[in-house]
Amino acid sequence: MWTTVILSALAAGPFSGVDLDNLTDTPMLARETVVEANAKQLPTFGEGMKLGERDGKQIVVTEEGFFVQFDAELAAGMYGLSVTASAPDRGTDSFWVQVDGEQLDRALTLPVGTLDKRSASVRITEPGKHGFRLVLREAAGSVLARVELYRIKSELPRAPMREELLGKHPRIFFTADDLEAMQARLDDERVQRFYVPAGALTREPPPFKPGKRNGGAYRSLGSRALSYLLEPSEEKLQPILEWLKLATTYPDCGVDLDAEYFMEGVALTYDWLYEYLPDDLRVGVRDLIARQSRKVYEASLSGHTGGGLSFQQNHFWYAHLSLALGAAAICGEVPEAEQWLAWAWDRYERIALSFSPDGGFHEGPGYWDYSMPTLYMYTDLYEWCTGLHIPAGDDGLSGQAEFIFRYLYPGFARSAALEDTSTRHGRPPIRLLLWEAKRFKDPAPMGMAELLSGGPSWLAWNLLWLDEKVEGRDPREALPLAKYYPDIETAFARTSWEDDATDVVFVSRPLGGHKWAELCAKFGLGGTGHNHPEQNHFVLFGRGEVLAVDPGYTYKKMTRNHNTVLVDGQGQYGDGEMWPRPKPGRAHITQFVTEGDITIATGDATSAYPEELGLTRFDRTLVLAGRDLVVVYDRLSDKEPRTFSWLLHHYGELAEGDGAWTITRNEAQLGVVPIMPERFEAEASTYRPQYIHPTRDLTPKENPDINLLELKAGPATEMTFLVPLLIGNAGEELAQVEDVSTDSCDAVHVGDVLVAFNRGEGEMTVAAPWGEQLKSQASTLVARMQDGERQVVTAPADEGG
């Protein structure tokens, strides 16, 4: 169960030289100051600024017409321009940097409200005098305490590529010596189940489109190249060469996602088909890879690639994998590539060190599918090229397949749409399950791949990440019905692995999970943008339908769009943001007990709400009490009288009758029977979440509108919600629900099931379905008669939190 997170130091990364105590230091980079000016000196370097003081430090406040300008005699090399500054708001938070009259592509964006360093990197190609100028990009009002120009010198701690790989191609993931064995594997039926070589490429390569993403078309080109090596033919080779030829006309594909798409195709194809490229084409592709890699490297030095310094954000992984792929392909052929590759390993080690240790992932199943291919490839590339084992991360990488498998609803066709995940999201990519089975020689992921596979794929990874000698084990036999992930604070539970099972997912966590949230707080990092302000939220699936829904991928992330509670109509930290940043909230799951098809999970989301709301308690206990019943029990308290809104979202038809509601969705039915509070107002509405972004529209074609049942109670300083949810077939009569609360507990009797919640820390007494008076100090008790057998499951009175 959740306890205070201790960020114990791990062995330092061999390239980065850092551990969790100094995660953002850069020992590989030495800084040599060329020009520096403090606040008192800055007015002598420009105009439009006023000297002042903040928190005992001298600063200058920018005014209209602000600029700082200076010349410096420089040798050729990499330089950084750093400002120690802050802005009062997002309308005043950026500068343009001009070098020799040319404006850098990217603005220097300042922290808001906090005085901190921000930098831009500059490559000086010609020695001599060079001019630097800092000007406002937006309104005046930002403050500066220091400006520094420094030279960046790299000190490689070790060779970034094994000596035996230098000077040969192919060398990424395999060598020429491996090809015969790889070709022989194609005759193995176990390989044929997952992989088939690609046919000839028939599409024409697309010309470069300025201002657009261009790399995606090239991403699978490496798979075409591998297919040629395995089954050579001119029909396969010539189109690949044509694609490479056009690629050499591309300037670059930026420093974010598109860069990786591009390098995954171009760099791998360059390496794998090196011996088959005409000399002029080989030189052109090498120059292209160098051009792309240099751009990413220079942006990364100042944290300006995709993902910034957010080591656990998919953009950071993509950007730096692009650098690793490009540099690995041309290391030893382009002098700078050795430094680029070492820097890519430095960046990887920070990902590995800060990765969640519990086998889970904080960005939801949609971004798990999208992100893990890069992380797995990056991991393999690091170990293959360096000959080293990753410095950390295996504890979190192991179990990822089970984690994503648990998101699948019964029937294994659709996934729960938590975080930024499409509501139509389906099965995970089979190659990712194969990767874990191969790395850890684990039969469960292999069994998942065998269960979920829809047939062989021509993607290279279905072969490279396959170890056909690993015997699969059916996950329905290997895995328990329920599991709790203590770092990313997610609990999964289902009543069976059959298609007619009832399934719940419950989440209550800090944005990003505990480890990443603590690192963000310690080092001022970000990268939780695909998380939602949804703590103590759940989704429910039964009778073949999603009965309590999540809106999925939205651009305005609202607590109100989730099955949790509002306080005076207001939501949690991050409410209303497009990409929520790390927050001070530390929601957590305090109890998790499971026995057969009964699971009890309790979450404490008190700290997920802004302090000004005065919330002092929000404990939610979710009980899965067999296939036909879920009970939600909430206890809330506040410093001031508040109105509390209990939310349930659905896609069905709502009907009210005698203090209860039924929600019908095709052949399934959900009964909502509130027992507490005694008085409340119920509102039914339909809304459409914010699915539309300025550049794209993610509105689902199916069920774009969501129905909401909202139970409002208060104002009051304390509130209890006790709401049984009855899962059944459409049209059937709801089971009898009886309030059997006593002085010591809140309890409900539904059919042959009793669910009781202790109001305090003492003993509670309640009648079991078979008439016996049960006495227990447990916080939650479930008692039922099933097939003539008595069963009692309890959650301890005080476990963690």
Side-chain angles (χ1 to χ4, degrees):
M1 219 46 56
W2 179 85
T3 56
T4 302
V5 174
I6 300 174
L7 297 176
S8 56
L10 301 167
F15 286 91
S16 63
V18 304
D19 56 28
L20 293 181
D21 289 330
N22 60 344
L23 190 62
T24 56
D25 291 354
T26 51
M28 188 187 295
L29 302 179
R31 291 168 52 138
E32 180 182 288
T33 299
V34 179
V35 176
E36 63 178 331
N38 58 31
K40 189 174 181 179
Q41 298 165 329
L42 279 172
T44 66
F45 286 85
E47 298 178 1
M49 65 192 93
K50 180 174 63 177
L51 197 62
E53 187 174 297
R54 171 176 291 183
D55 299 329
K57 296 181 180 179
Q58 283 192 323
I59 50 95
V60 295
V61 181
T62 62
E63 300 175 327
E64 291 299 323
F66 164 84
F67 71 88
V68 168
Q69 181 173 301
F70 56 86
D71 293 334
E73 195 74 30
L74 304 177
M78 288 300 303
Y79 291 81
L81 181 68
S82 169
V83 299
T84 303
S86 74
D89 53 55
R90 288 299 180 198
T92 59
D93 70 337
S94 57
F95 296 134
W96 285 120
V97 177
Q98 299 170 354
V99 182
D100 296 333
E102 296 290 328
Q103 186 167 284
L104 299 187
D105 292 341
R106 185 161 180 158
L108 198 60
T109 303
L110 310 181
V112 173
T114 303
L115 203 62
D116 202 358
K117 290 183 179 180
R118 293 294 186 268
S119 62
S121 57
V122 181
R123 181 163 55 96
I124 300 297
T125 57
E126 297 293 335
K129 181 180 288 188
H130 295 272
F132 291 79
R133 185 179 176 92
L134 191 69
V135 298
L136 293 175
R137 176 175 174 261
E138 299 173 299
S142 53
V143 303
L144 285 88
R146 188 169 182 269
V147 174
E148 178 189 12
L149 176 68
Y150 53 91
R151 186 172 184 182
I152 301 171
K153 293 186 175 180
S154 301
E155 299 176 357
L156 299 188
R158 61 191 304 143
M161 180 171 280
R162 290 185 286 144
E163 185 175 355
E164 60 267 30
L165 294 178
L166 292 172
K168 65 168 61 174
H169 294 280
R171 64 182 178 200
I172 298 178
F173 301 128
F174 59 86
T175 68
D177 295 338
D178 300 314
L179 284 174
E180 185 176 352
M182 292 169 67
Q183 290 170 334
R185 291 175 64 198
L186 299 182
D187 296 327
D188 191 318
E189 290 183 357
R190 294 169 298 177
V191 173
Q192 294 169 2
R193 181 171 186 175
F194 296 106
Y195 176 73
V196 59
L201 183 56
T202 57
R203 288 188 299 127
E204 293 294 321
F208 185 82
K209 297 178 181 178
K212 303 292 184 180
R213 287 186 179 179
N214 292 277
Y218 277 84
R219 191 174 188 183
S220 61
L221 193 65
S223 294
R224 301 285 183 175
L226 179 63
S227 173
Y228 172 76
L229 291 178
L230 297 174
E231 296 180 342
S233 73
E234 283 299 306
E235 184 185 12
K236 289 184 178 182
L237 179 61
Q238 288 307 314
I240 296 173
L241 299 182
E242 290 299 318
W243 275 67
L244 287 179
K245 183 177 179 181
L246 189 66
T248 62
T249 67
Y250 283 29
D252 61 71
C253 286
V255 296
D256 200 348
L257 307 173
D258 211 37
E260 194 283 331
Y261 304 158
F262 196 42
M263 285 297 96
E264 186 177 328
V266 172
L268 291 179
T269 302
Y270 171 84
D271 175 60
W272 293 348
L273 298 188
Y274 185 90
E275 297 296 334
Y276 302 94
L277 304 183
D279 290 346
D280 58 341
L281 181 57
R282 186 184 302 128
V283 171
V285 176
R286 182 189 303 141
D287 290 346
L288 166 66
I289 294 171
R291 185 163 66 244
Q292 177 66 64
S293 300
R294 183 179 294 112
K295 187 176 184 69
V296 174
Y297 172 72
E298 293 177 1
S300 179
L301 289 177
S302 53
H304 286 167
T305 61
L309 292 177
S310 299
F311 307 132
Q312 292 305 319
Q313 218 276 338
N314 69 81
H315 289 257
F316 186 89
W317 300 359
Y318 270 87
H320 292 96
L321 175 57
S322 80
L323 180 61
L325 287 166
I330 60 176
C331 189
E333 301 167 21
V334 173
E336 299 163 88
E338 185 181 41
Q339 171 58 41
W340 299 339
L341 191 55
W343 183 251
W345 301 151
D346 171 292
R347 301 290 92 179
Y348 173 82
E349 289 173 359
R350 296 163 202 268
I351 297 169
L353 288 164
S354 58
F355 193 64
S356 174
D358 67 1
F361 179 66
H362 67 99
E363 290 195 313
Y367 273 90
W368 190 94
D369 288 6
Y370 181 70
S371 305
M372 288 301 157
T374 62
L375 182 59
Y376 292 175
M377 196 187 311
Y378 209 167
T379 298
D380 283 355
L381 193 61
Y382 176 96
E383 293 184 340
W384 173 265
C385 290
T386 67
L388 303 171
H389 193 78
I390 60 174
D394 264 342
D395 52 352
L397 291 171
S398 177
Q400 288 290 330
E402 177 183 346
F403 175 73
I404 199 64
F405 185 76
R406 289 189 176 278
Y407 270 110
L408 290 173
Y409 286 132
F412 308 118
R414 292 177 59 184
S415 175
L418 273 75
E419 314 307 338
D420 279 348
T421 299
S422 165
T423 56
R424 298 297 301 169
H425 192 73
R427 298 174 172 182
I430 300 302
R431 64 189 184 278
L432 304 183
L433 308 178
L434 297 175
W435 183 88
E436 186 176 331
K438 178 180 180 180
R439 182 174 183 85
F440 299 105
K441 301 298 183 281
D442 190 339
M446 181 60 80
M448 296 172 204
E450 292 169 350
L451 176 66
L452 301 178
S453 176
S457 168
W458 56 268
L459 291 176
W461 315 110
N462 276 49
L463 179 67
L464 298 178
W465 290 348
L466 170 64
D467 182 350
E468 58 272 23
K469 296 182 180 65
V470 176
E471 294 291 338
R473 184 182 176 194
D474 191 328
R476 295 166 294 188
E477 299 174 357
L479 303 181
L481 294 175
K483 186 165 183 176
Y484 161 59
Y485 291 81
D487 185 63
I488 57 131
E489 295 286 10
T490 303
F492 299 88
R494 65 182 69 209
T495 55
S496 76
W497 290 107
E498 301 303 319
D499 292 357
D500 63 354
T502 296
D503 182 26
V504 295
V505 184
F506 179 58
V507 60
S508 188
R509 66 159 174 259
L511 298 181
H514 287 293
K515 183 176 182 179
W516 185 238
E518 296 302 324
L519 290 171
C520 289
K522 182 175 181 178
F523 295 109
L525 304 173
T528 58
H530 292 295
N531 285 213
H532 288 210
E534 60 179 6
Q535 311 325 320
N536 278 358
H537 164 63
F538 69 95
V539 293
L540 169 62
F541 183 97
R543 301 300 196 274
E545 296 290 343
V546 184
L547 299 175
V549 310
D550 186 295
Y553 201 145
T554 60
Y555 285 113
K556 187 176 185 181
K557 296 168 177 39
M558 303 288 291
T559 303
R560 184 175 182 78
N561 295 354
H562 297 84
N563 301 314
T564 183
V565 170
L566 302 179
V567 180
D568 276 351
Q570 299 183 57
Q572 301 169 3
Y573 283 119
D575 194 40
E577 296 181 15
M578 182 182 293
W579 312 119
R581 291 186 57 79
K583 306 296 180 187
R586 293 295 182 266
H588 54 284
I589 291 174
T590 59
Q591 290 183 323
F592 180 77
V593 174
T594 185
E595 183 178 313
D597 62 354
I598 295 176
T599 297
I600 303 167
T602 299
D604 178 358
T606 310
S607 65
Y609 293 78
E611 287 187 2
E612 56 266 27
L613 290 178
L615 194 67
T616 57
R617 181 176 189 177
F618 177 20
D619 294 327
R620 164 167 284 183
T621 299
L622 184 76
V623 178
L624 175 61
R627 181 170 173 258
D628 300 332
L629 179 63
V630 169
V631 180
V632 182
Y633 180 66
D634 297 337
R635 298 188 71 181
L636 300 114
S637 59
D638 201 288
K639 296 176 182 178
E640 303 289 338
R642 303 285 188 184
T643 297
F644 299 97
S645 299
W646 189 95
L647 309 174
L648 182 72
H649 300 77
H650 63 95
Y651 293 135
E653 296 181 7
L654 184 70
E656 181 181 1
D658 196 21
W661 287 263
T662 57
I663 297 169
T664 304
R665 172 75 174 161
N666 295 324
E667 300 303 315
Q669 176 179 280
L670 181 68
V672 184
V673 190
I675 301 300
M676 297 179 178
E678 183 178 350
R679 295 183 179 86
F680 60 85
E681 294 181 2
E683 296 181 4
S685 60
T686 301
Y687 71 97
R688 180 170 295 188
Q690 180 60 32
Y691 291 121
I692 299 176
H693 181 271
T695 61
R696 54 179 172 165
D697 185 350
L698 294 180
T699 303
K701 293 181 179 179
E702 181 183 349
N703 302 316
D705 298 320
I706 297 177
N707 302 319
L708 169 63
L709 175 62
E710 180 175 357
L711 309 182
K712 287 185 177 181
T717 57
E718 294 187 353
M719 187 62 59
T720 298
F721 289 93
L722 174 56
V723 186
L725 303 175
L726 283 59
I727 301 102
N729 299 319
E732 72 182 15
E733 185 177 348
L734 297 180
Q736 183 177 353
V737 177
E738 182 181 1
D739 183 359
V740 292
S741 301
T742 68
D743 291 341
S744 59
C745 67
D746 296 321
V748 62
H749 192 176
V750 182
D752 291 330
V753 182
L754 167 76
V755 182
F757 304 92
N758 199 327
R759 289 204 195 100
E761 297 179 356
E763 187 175 71
M764 64 175 170
T765 303
V766 65
W770 50 89
E772 178 186 353
Q773 290 294 311
L774 299 178
K775 297 180 183 294
S776 176
Q777 293 189 345
S779 64
T780 306
L781 179 150
V782 181
R784 71 175 177 182
M785 290 288 294
Q786 188 175 40
D787 299 327
E789 297 290 329
R790 299 174 180 181
Q791 182 181 16
V792 177
V793 179
T794 61
D798 184 18
E799 186 176 324

